[in-house]
Amino acid sequence: MIVPRYRIDASRITGAGKGLFLEEPVNAGRIITAPDTIDKTFRLDEVLARPDLMHASARWFEDRYTVSPDWPDECYINHSFEPSGLWHLGFVFATHDLPAGAEITVDYRHLLPPGQEEDFIDTATGERIVGLSWYESLMTTTRALAHVLDSASLTD
């Protein structure tokens, strides 16, 4: 589920195709996407046994992955090493105050299996995108989310 109003449009990232853009401002620390209609997770070995589904999978937690072959709009979130969104346990949080028109990106290293390399490189840096271990991903995103929330002025 994408929480703020949004649109799918041509990405500003070279070679990325389409991207997900905000239609309204979102404050730092607010949720941009939240999991919904997840009725099953798959072990990595189950995903690897179906190479046709690998492109539609995202690490959820530990050795568990979701698969979305129907390509919901959340799948138009592109990669960046300086993302506007923080992927944490299936949620995407705004890393800073985002204006309407901002393209939502996340660091794909948190969605990939450990050591798996994307078929493409990060166009801004030229660096390879390689999946992190579960521990490294969880520690990195937990610390990053705490930092965002510490600096955010969230109100209910």
Side-chain angles (χ1 to χ4, degrees), residues 70-93:
D70 56 342
W71 204 259
D73 285 352
E74 290 89 341
C75 293
Y76 290 104
I77 296 175
N78 288 311
H79 164 79
S80 175
F81 284 131
E82 293 184 20
S84 58
L86 173 65
W87 174 272
H88 182 71
L89 298 174
F91 291 82
V92 174
F93 295 84

Side-chain angles (χ1 to χ4, degrees), residues 42-103:
F42 299 85
R43 291 184 324 272
L44 178 57
D45 63 329
E46 294 174 300
V47 175
L48 292 174
R50 294 282 312 273
D52 58 316
L53 295 181
M54 195 65 194
H55 74 283
S57 68
R59 179 171 49 199
W60 189 258
F61 62 92
E62 296 176 350
D63 185 35
R64 304 300 293 196
Y65 294 75
T66 59
V67 176
S68 301
D70 56 342
W71 204 259
D73 285 352
E74 290 89 341
C75 293
Y76 290 104
I77 296 175
N78 288 311
H79 164 79
S80 175
F81 284 131
E82 293 184 20
S84 58
L86 173 65
W87 174 272
H88 182 71
L89 298 174
F91 291 82
V92 174
F93 295 84
T95 58
H96 55 278
D97 289 342
L98 299 171
E103 182 172 1

Side-chain angles (χ1 to χ4, degrees), residues 86 88 139-152:
L86 173 65
H88 182 71
M139 289 299 294
T140 301
T141 63
T142 300
R143 287 179 178 140
L145 181 57
H147 177 74
V148 168
L149 295 176
D150 281 345
S151 62

